[in-house]
Amino acid sequence: MINLEIPKKAQTLVNQAYQAAAEVFRPISRKYDRAEHSYPAELDMLAALLDGLNSSGEGGAGAAGVRRREDDTKGNRNGGNLSTVLGAIEMCWGDVALLLSMPRQGLGNAAIASVANDEQLQRFAGVWAAMAITEPGCGSDSAAITATATLDGDEYVLNGEKIFVTAGQRADAVVVWATLDKSKGRAAIKSFVVEKGTPGFEVVRLEHKLGIRASDTAVLRFENCRVPKENLLGTPEIDTSKGFAGVMQTFDNTRPLVAAMAIGVARAALEETGRLLAEAGVTVDYDRPANTQHAAAAAFLQLEADYEAAYLLTLESAWMADNRKPNSLQASMAKAKAGRSVVDITLRCVELAGTLGYTEELLLEKWSRDAKILDIFEGTQQIQQLIVARRLLGKTSAELK
């Protein structure tokens, strides 16, 4: 049975993450929103602290992996995935772009943690890894990837272009999705760890963005880029009966993490708006029907209910990952709900705050800009709904497009 209260052993982590968000992230949030592409040097010390938490087994607020072992099948656990989600919520209450800028906490790290073998885990320990999936002609449909990886002796030769790569310039390495054989379809798609400085690997440019400006988003090009075959994550065999479940397993972990980011931003906006309503003399009464209260109070209650639903879905998906239960459906439900809710909540909070919400006097307008990407990356709203529909109806990707 799932108990979605915060476990006692995670409370220390939650408190530490909240303190980091309040004392480190919030004070520099506006500074790096304005100074787009400037690296937040203040994060280095905090990243070292998170490294210590991860190595001690306490878990941090960054990337963790979904690793299921055959001999580990008994009892319920509140493990690394739930701890990571809870920590991410607190950190993104401070600033989501700064969390995305944290060294060694990239989405590529989650991929390595999820599907790397023991030797690769040891070799890439301490490496800051970005994730490169999206291409100019391939958005949310990961199966349409055209970047190629051709085995040549003891190396794979990578060719292709990747866009919208979070931390693509700052990271030490990039987990690149490429196909071994286009004729074999999605089953031939594999992920490779490509380290910075590898000949043929080029950062083409950085994007200027609506939100999460403190986080660098890069365009990468691979031209005859030679990567050791030991850098392929998972198995090199192409098993058409299994599709590309190996690389897609990463999303079972990262989608709840992105949902957690959305929840943190939404909570920040709700808390700030609640404070403004109280200052304006608007009382939110939880013991009275919404339709008997001030219109602003009724709207606030609706937003809080939306937030709570997304929060519970996210905790459920993380708990399932920790307890060796297939969570692809729940991960997509959490990502879809939280991604849509954070956009609705932040925009409505800007509206409820009036002129204060639209100016830079508060962070509300920034949160509304940051929110939109959380409904897009790691699979758009539409893709998540399609995945949920396939799972519920028992349809394959070929049967329901």
Side-chain angles (χ1 to χ4, degrees), residues 161-177:
E161 186 173 305
K162 297 292 182 177
I163 60 176
F164 301 129
V165 181
T166 301
Q169 181 185 51
R170 298 171 185 166
D172 304 317
V174 181
V175 176
V176 182
W177 287 29

Side-chain angles (χ1 to χ4, degrees), residues 94-233:
D95 190 283
V96 64
L98 292 175
L99 177 62
L100 289 169
S101 300
M102 289 288 292
R104 295 172 298 284
Q105 304 300 323
L107 295 175
N109 291 101
I112 293 171
S114 294
V115 299
N117 59 40
D118 291 340
E119 183 274 331
Q120 290 171 330
L121 282 176
Q122 184 176 5
R123 181 153 51 95
F124 296 123
V127 170
W128 182 4
M131 181 104 92
I133 301 175
T134 306
E135 299 178 359
C138 158
S140 291
D141 184 7
S142 302
I145 284 172
T146 60
T148 60
T150 305
L151 184 62
D152 182 16
D154 292 333
E155 298 174 315
Y156 283 98
V157 181
L158 270 61
N159 283 283
E161 186 173 305
K162 297 292 182 177
I163 60 176
F164 301 129
V165 181
T166 301
Q169 181 185 51
R170 298 171 185 166
D172 304 317
V174 181
V175 176
V176 182
W177 287 29
T179 179
L180 299 181
D181 186 344
K182 291 182 181 180
S183 67
K184 297 291 180 60
R186 62 182 63 206
I189 296 173
K190 304 292 181 178
S191 54
F192 303 82
V193 179
V194 184
E195 298 179 76
K196 284 292 179 65
T198 303
F201 174 16
E202 177 189 4
V203 177
V204 178
R205 69 174 184 274
L206 297 179
E207 302 288 3
H208 295 279
K209 309 184 296 296
L210 171 71
I212 59 167
R213 292 176 177 172
S215 170
D216 69 308
T217 303
V219 174
L220 309 179
R221 181 178 296 133
F222 301 89
E223 189 170 349
N224 295 323
C225 179
R226 304 185 75 88
V227 180
K229 65 179 183 180
E230 293 80 14
N231 284 24
L232 183 150
L233 298 177

